[in-house]
Amino acid sequence: MNKAHSVLVVAFLCVVLAACQKNTPAKPPHISYGDVKPEILESEKVKYDLGFGLSVPDMVLYSNPDALAECTFPGLHVDNFIEVHVEVLPIYAFGSGNTSGDYYAVSGYVVAHNASAFRMGTALKDSGWIKSDEKEGAGDYVNYAAWFMSKMNIDFQLLAEDGSPVSNEKVNFFVTPEPSTSIGERTYTKGFTFSLQPALTVGTVKKETAEGTPAWTVTLLGCVGVGLNWDNSSSQVLPDQTFEMSTEPYNRTVFYTQKTNNITTSVHEDCSPEIARSDERFDFSWVWHVAPGAYSAKDYGFGKMKMKVTVNPVLMGNIKACVTLTKKDKDDPQKIDYEQHPFDCNNMKFESRSDSKILEIPAMNRIPVGNVEFKNTTRNYVTDIHVYRNGEKDVAKEAYSTVEGYYDANESVAFMLREGNYDVVYNIRNGDTGDIIGTFMIENVNVSRDDIRKISTMDGKRI
């Protein structure tokens, strides 16, 4: 074959090869990330348990030393009368548009231990509740005395790190608080349903657990997905109760008022509503959205927030008692009259002082991330993709991130990493036998915020 003929053959082969490549488009990349999994959301919640006590002083209903009579409504003291369980899921959405910023998904429940405040039973004279004439008042009694909660106010206020209230200019409700006002109904919504589609980091900043441990090993990966779908909405039936919910337009505080219905003036032992004689619970939820600016720390920032929880219970008291009053006859000073005086179901009111507790919400993980697209340019397939922080492959106990699956010739896989420099280690396996042909590493892959770093097996070196 002469030289000219050889050149023509090579040229023809190049044209054929180019045509084949042109007609075989690159396969779309596999995406190794997706919506944040519900179990991850659940595990990253910050949880708080609060207890609020109740103290009601003795209240003298009647006292007349001259009449040798006194009737006292007994007070009470209960530790943890109201328990509040709060869960906060911090979410950071970065990027442009109105969806960026910090999100605090708040949920929880309130339990009022009414049974611990409800008293019922007979107390005779000189019990401390009844005082009367020794002889004529010997049979005086308190047949029934009980406190019950007629109303409970509980407020939730978002505060800046310095403890000052936030303003509505930068904070709104991404999800409206539940339960919402629904007077006269028994069934209320609890939990929330919402979706966020930008790139997200979830949870709070983790700290090093041991000296010399790389910070990234105990810090959330940076982005666990490019979307979040949360749905745990359900209903609860709250008999004999009415809820009223309102929000402060200036600082996004949530106000709940829980009222007990069916309060009567009966003098029987069941005059207190049934729900007020046992523990009662209601669930709450909402999502605050803090736009970038005054309260939301910027990228790489680790600002903290606080939440103020305030409880204010209002109680009513019912009593059935009888006291003998000693009276002198106004017409005959030497004559003494005795008169029995009943005290029946007074519906006394006692409003407890407000009690507040401040929750420290840890700094959320606001570290931005970038995208990596890794392409297999070999004739075989790529598997066992492990990502290490740059230079830590031989010292780290485990990979920073692992990409599952295997990728054939001309296939790509896309995954996300927080900003930084990484070493990508992978195996190339024989497409027919599955045997490992070699282990390779692409060193110092720089990942930048909102950028797509493209790499391929052509960048790797055998190790």
Side-chain angles (χ1 to χ4, degrees), residues 86-122:
V86 183
E87 299 182 356
V88 181
L89 176 66
I91 307 166
Y92 174 51
F94 56 92
S96 58
N98 296 329
T99 57
S100 62
D102 296 343
Y103 293 79
Y104 295 97
V106 181
S107 60
Y109 55 84
V110 180
V111 177
H113 296 292
N114 293 322
S116 60
F118 185 82
R119 290 183 177 180
M120 184 170 63
T122 300

Short mmCIF file of all heavy atoms in Angstrom, two decimals, residues 86-122:
data_model
loop_
_atom_site.label_atom_id
_atom_site.label_comp_id
_atom_site.label_asym_id
_atom_site.label_seq_id
_atom_site.Cartn_x
_atom_site.Cartn_y
_atom_site.Cartn_z
N VAL A 86 -41.13 20.70 72.40
CA VAL A 86 -40.89 21.50 71.18
C VAL A 86 -39.83 20.82 70.34
O VAL A 86 -38.79 20.39 70.86
CB VAL A 86 -40.45 22.93 71.53
CG1 VAL A 86 -40.27 23.76 70.26
CG2 VAL A 86 -41.44 23.60 72.46
N GLU A 87 -40.08 20.72 69.04
CA GLU A 87 -39.09 20.20 68.09
C GLU A 87 -38.87 21.25 67.01
O GLU A 87 -39.83 21.79 66.45
CB GLU A 87 -39.59 18.89 67.47
CG GLU A 87 -39.81 17.79 68.50
CD GLU A 87 -40.27 16.48 67.88
OE1 GLU A 87 -40.48 16.46 66.63
OE2 GLU A 87 -40.39 15.49 68.61
N VAL A 88 -37.60 21.53 66.74
CA VAL A 88 -37.25 22.54 65.73
C VAL A 88 -36.34 21.90 64.70
O VAL A 88 -35.30 21.34 65.04
CB VAL A 88 -36.55 23.75 66.37
CG1 VAL A 88 -36.22 24.81 65.31
CG2 VAL A 88 -37.40 24.37 67.48
N LEU A 89 -36.75 21.98 63.44
CA LEU A 89 -35.93 21.49 62.34
C LEU A 89 -35.36 22.70 61.60
O LEU A 89 -36.09 23.39 60.91
CB LEU A 89 -36.74 20.62 61.38
CG LEU A 89 -35.98 20.14 60.13
CD1 LEU A 89 -34.87 19.18 60.53
CD2 LEU A 89 -36.93 19.48 59.14
N PRO A 90 -34.05 22.97 61.74
CA PRO A 90 -33.45 24.09 61.00
C PRO A 90 -33.16 23.69 59.56
O PRO A 90 -32.60 22.63 59.30
CB PRO A 90 -32.14 24.36 61.77
CG PRO A 90 -32.22 23.52 63.02
CD PRO A 90 -33.11 22.37 62.68
N ILE A 91 -33.56 24.53 58.63
CA ILE A 91 -33.35 24.28 57.20
C ILE A 91 -32.76 25.54 56.58
O ILE A 91 -33.29 26.64 56.78
CB ILE A 91 -34.67 23.93 56.50
CG1 ILE A 91 -35.40 22.78 57.21
CG2 ILE A 91 -34.43 23.59 55.03
CD1 ILE A 91 -36.84 22.63 56.77
N TYR A 92 -31.69 25.37 55.83
CA TYR A 92 -31.10 26.51 55.14
C TYR A 92 -31.23 26.30 53.63
O TYR A 92 -30.73 25.30 53.09
CB TYR A 92 -29.62 26.66 55.51
CG TYR A 92 -28.89 27.72 54.73
CD1 TYR A 92 -29.39 29.00 54.61
CD2 TYR A 92 -27.67 27.42 54.11
CE1 TYR A 92 -28.71 29.97 53.91
CE2 TYR A 92 -26.97 28.39 53.40
CZ TYR A 92 -27.50 29.67 53.30
OH TYR A 92 -26.83 30.63 52.60
N ALA A 93 -31.94 27.19 52.97
CA ALA A 93 -32.10 27.14 51.52
C ALA A 93 -31.26 28.26 50.91
O ALA A 93 -31.48 29.43 51.23
CB ALA A 93 -33.56 27.30 51.13
N PHE A 94 -30.29 27.88 50.08
CA PHE A 94 -29.45 28.92 49.51
C PHE A 94 -29.72 29.06 48.01
O PHE A 94 -30.34 28.21 47.39
CB PHE A 94 -27.97 28.67 49.77
CG PHE A 94 -27.48 27.34 49.27
CD1 PHE A 94 -26.95 27.21 48.00
CD2 PHE A 94 -27.53 26.22 50.07
CE1 PHE A 94 -26.48 26.00 47.55
CE2 PHE A 94 -27.07 25.00 49.64
CZ PHE A 94 -26.54 24.89 48.36
N GLY A 95 -29.24 30.15 47.47
CA GLY A 95 -29.51 30.46 46.08
C GLY A 95 -30.20 31.79 45.97
O GLY A 95 -30.20 32.59 46.90
N SER A 96 -30.80 32.05 44.83
CA SER A 96 -31.47 33.32 44.61
C SER A 96 -32.97 33.15 44.75
O SER A 96 -33.50 32.05 44.87
CB SER A 96 -31.13 33.85 43.21
OG SER A 96 -31.54 32.90 42.23
N GLY A 97 -33.66 34.28 44.71
CA GLY A 97 -35.12 34.22 44.76
C GLY A 97 -35.65 34.33 46.17
O GLY A 97 -34.91 34.45 47.15
N ASN A 98 -36.96 34.28 46.27
CA ASN A 98 -37.63 34.49 47.56
C ASN A 98 -37.54 33.28 48.48
O ASN A 98 -37.93 33.37 49.64
CB ASN A 98 -39.11 34.82 47.32
CG ASN A 98 -39.29 36.13 46.58
OD1 ASN A 98 -38.48 37.04 46.73
ND2 ASN A 98 -40.34 36.22 45.78
N THR A 99 -37.07 32.15 47.96
CA THR A 99 -37.03 30.95 48.80
C THR A 99 -35.76 30.84 49.63
O THR A 99 -35.67 29.98 50.50
CB THR A 99 -37.16 29.69 47.93
OG1 THR A 99 -36.11 29.68 46.96
CG2 THR A 99 -38.51 29.67 47.24
N SER A 100 -34.76 31.64 49.36
CA SER A 100 -33.51 31.51 50.10
C SER A 100 -33.68 31.99 51.54
O SER A 100 -34.63 32.70 51.87
CB SER A 100 -32.40 32.30 49.41
OG SER A 100 -32.72 33.68 49.38
N GLY A 101 -32.77 31.58 52.39
CA GLY A 101 -32.82 32.01 53.79
C GLY A 101 -32.96 30.83 54.73
O GLY A 101 -32.77 29.68 54.36
N ASP A 102 -33.28 31.16 55.97
CA ASP A 102 -33.40 30.16 57.04
C ASP A 102 -34.86 29.79 57.25
O ASP A 102 -35.75 30.65 57.20
CB ASP A 102 -32.85 30.71 58.35
CG ASP A 102 -31.35 31.01 58.28
OD1 ASP A 102 -30.71 30.50 57.35
OD2 ASP A 102 -30.85 31.74 59.14
N TYR A 103 -35.08 28.53 57.53
CA TYR A 103 -36.42 28.04 57.86
C TYR A 103 -36.34 27.31 59.20
O TYR A 103 -35.42 26.53 59.43
CB TYR A 103 -36.94 27.07 56.79
CG TYR A 103 -37.21 27.72 55.45
CD1 TYR A 103 -36.17 28.00 54.57
CD2 TYR A 103 -38.50 28.05 55.07
CE1 TYR A 103 -36.41 28.60 53.34
CE2 TYR A 103 -38.77 28.64 53.83
CZ TYR A 103 -37.71 28.91 52.97
OH TYR A 103 -37.96 29.49 51.76
N TYR A 104 -37.31 27.59 60.05
CA TYR A 104 -37.43 26.87 61.32
C TYR A 104 -38.79 26.19 61.34
O TYR A 104 -39.82 26.83 61.53
CB TYR A 104 -37.29 27.83 62.50
CG TYR A 104 -35.93 28.46 62.60
CD1 TYR A 104 -35.69 29.74 62.08
CD2 TYR A 104 -34.86 27.79 63.19
CE1 TYR A 104 -34.42 30.31 62.15
CE2 TYR A 104 -33.60 28.35 63.27
CZ TYR A 104 -33.39 29.62 62.75
OH TYR A 104 -32.14 30.18 62.81
N ALA A 105 -38.78 24.88 61.10
CA ALA A 105 -40.02 24.10 61.14
C ALA A 105 -40.25 23.68 62.59
O ALA A 105 -39.51 22.87 63.14
CB ALA A 105 -39.91 22.88 60.22
N VAL A 106 -41.27 24.26 63.19
CA VAL A 106 -41.54 24.07 64.61
C VAL A 106 -42.76 23.16 64.78
O VAL A 106 -43.78 23.36 64.13
CB VAL A 106 -41.81 25.41 65.31
CG1 VAL A 106 -42.08 25.21 66.80
CG2 VAL A 106 -40.63 26.36 65.09
N SER A 107 -42.63 22.17 65.62
CA SER A 107 -43.76 21.30 65.93
C SER A 107 -43.63 20.85 67.38
O SER A 107 -42.57 20.98 68.01
CB SER A 107 -43.80 20.09 65.00
OG SER A 107 -42.61 19.31 65.12
N GLY A 108 -44.71 20.31 67.91
CA GLY A 108 -44.66 19.83 69.29
C GLY A 108 -46.04 19.69 69.87
O GLY A 108 -47.05 19.66 69.16
N TYR A 109 -46.10 19.61 71.19
CA TYR A 109 -47.39 19.44 71.84
C TYR A 109 -47.32 19.99 73.26
O TYR A 109 -46.24 20.17 73.85
CB TYR A 109 -47.81 17.97 71.86
CG TYR A 109 -46.82 17.02 72.48
CD1 TYR A 109 -46.77 16.82 73.87
CD2 TYR A 109 -45.92 16.32 71.69
CE1 TYR A 109 -45.85 15.96 74.43
CE2 TYR A 109 -45.00 15.45 72.24
CZ TYR A 109 -44.97 15.27 73.61
OH TYR A 109 -44.04 14.42 74.18
N VAL A 110 -48.50 20.27 73.79
CA VAL A 110 -48.65 20.77 75.16
C VAL A 110 -49.53 19.79 75.92
O VAL A 110 -50.56 19.34 75.40
CB VAL A 110 -49.31 22.16 75.17
CG1 VAL A 110 -49.48 22.66 76.61
CG2 VAL A 110 -48.50 23.15 74.36
N VAL A 111 -49.11 19.41 77.11
CA VAL A 111 -49.91 18.54 77.97
C VAL A 111 -50.17 19.26 79.28
O VAL A 111 -49.22 19.71 79.95
CB VAL A 111 -49.20 17.20 78.25
CG1 VAL A 111 -50.03 16.36 79.22
CG2 VAL A 111 -48.98 16.43 76.96
N ALA A 112 -51.43 19.40 79.63
CA ALA A 112 -51.82 19.96 80.92
C ALA A 112 -52.27 18.83 81.83
O ALA A 112 -53.19 18.08 81.48
CB ALA A 112 -52.94 20.98 80.73
N HIS A 113 -51.61 18.70 82.98
CA HIS A 113 -51.92 17.61 83.90
C HIS A 113 -53.03 18.04 84.85
O HIS A 113 -52.81 18.31 86.04
CB HIS A 113 -50.66 17.21 84.66
CG HIS A 113 -49.58 16.65 83.79
ND1 HIS A 113 -49.69 15.45 83.14
CD2 HIS A 113 -48.37 17.16 83.42
CE1 HIS A 113 -48.60 15.21 82.43
NE2 HIS A 113 -47.79 16.24 82.58
N ASN A 114 -54.23 18.10 84.31
CA ASN A 114 -55.36 18.56 85.10
C ASN A 114 -55.65 17.66 86.29
O ASN A 114 -56.11 18.13 87.33
CB ASN A 114 -56.61 18.64 84.21
CG ASN A 114 -56.49 19.72 83.17
OD1 ASN A 114 -55.96 20.78 83.44
ND2 ASN A 114 -56.98 19.45 81.98
N ALA A 115 -55.41 16.38 86.13
CA ALA A 115 -55.73 15.45 87.21
C ALA A 115 -54.96 15.80 88.48
O ALA A 115 -55.46 15.59 89.59
CB ALA A 115 -55.43 14.02 86.78
N SER A 116 -53.76 16.33 88.32
CA SER A 116 -52.95 16.66 89.50
C SER A 116 -53.47 17.89 90.22
O SER A 116 -53.12 18.13 91.38
CB SER A 116 -51.49 16.88 89.08
OG SER A 116 -51.40 17.94 88.15
N ALA A 117 -54.30 18.69 89.54
CA ALA A 117 -54.85 19.89 90.17
C ALA A 117 -56.28 19.68 90.64
O ALA A 117 -56.83 20.51 91.35
CB ALA A 117 -54.80 21.06 89.18
N PHE A 118 -56.88 18.58 90.26
CA PHE A 118 -58.29 18.33 90.57
C PHE A 118 -58.39 17.61 91.92
O PHE A 118 -57.82 16.54 92.11
CB PHE A 118 -58.91 17.48 89.47
CG PHE A 118 -60.39 17.27 89.63
CD1 PHE A 118 -61.28 18.25 89.22
CD2 PHE A 118 -60.88 16.11 90.20
CE1 PHE A 118 -62.64 18.06 89.36
CE2 PHE A 118 -62.23 15.91 90.35
CZ PHE A 118 -63.12 16.89 89.94
N ARG A 119 -59.11 18.22 92.83
CA ARG A 119 -59.29 17.62 94.15
C ARG A 119 -60.77 17.38 94.40
O ARG A 119 -61.62 18.22 94.12
CB ARG A 119 -58.76 18.55 95.24
CG ARG A 119 -57.25 18.68 95.26
CD ARG A 119 -56.83 19.56 96.42
NE ARG A 119 -55.39 19.66 96.54
CZ ARG A 119 -54.78 20.38 97.47
NH1 ARG A 119 -55.49 21.02 98.38
NH2 ARG A 119 -53.47 20.44 97.52
N MET A 120 -61.07 16.26 94.99
CA MET A 120 -62.46 15.96 95.31
C MET A 120 -62.47 15.07 96.55
O MET A 120 -61.67 14.16 96.67
CB MET A 120 -63.13 15.24 94.14
CG MET A 120 -64.61 14.96 94.35
SD MET A 120 -65.38 14.37 92.81
CE MET A 120 -64.49 12.85 92.56
N GLY A 121 -63.36 15.37 97.49
CA GLY A 121 -63.44 14.56 98.69
C GLY A 121 -64.01 15.35 99.84
O GLY A 121 -64.20 16.56 99.76
N THR A 122 -64.29 14.67 100.92
CA THR A 122 -64.93 15.30 102.08
C THR A 122 -63.89 15.67 103.12
O THR A 122 -63.01 14.89 103.45
CB THR A 122 -65.97 14.34 102.71
OG1 THR A 122 -66.96 14.03 101.74
CG2 THR A 122 -66.62 14.99 103.91
#
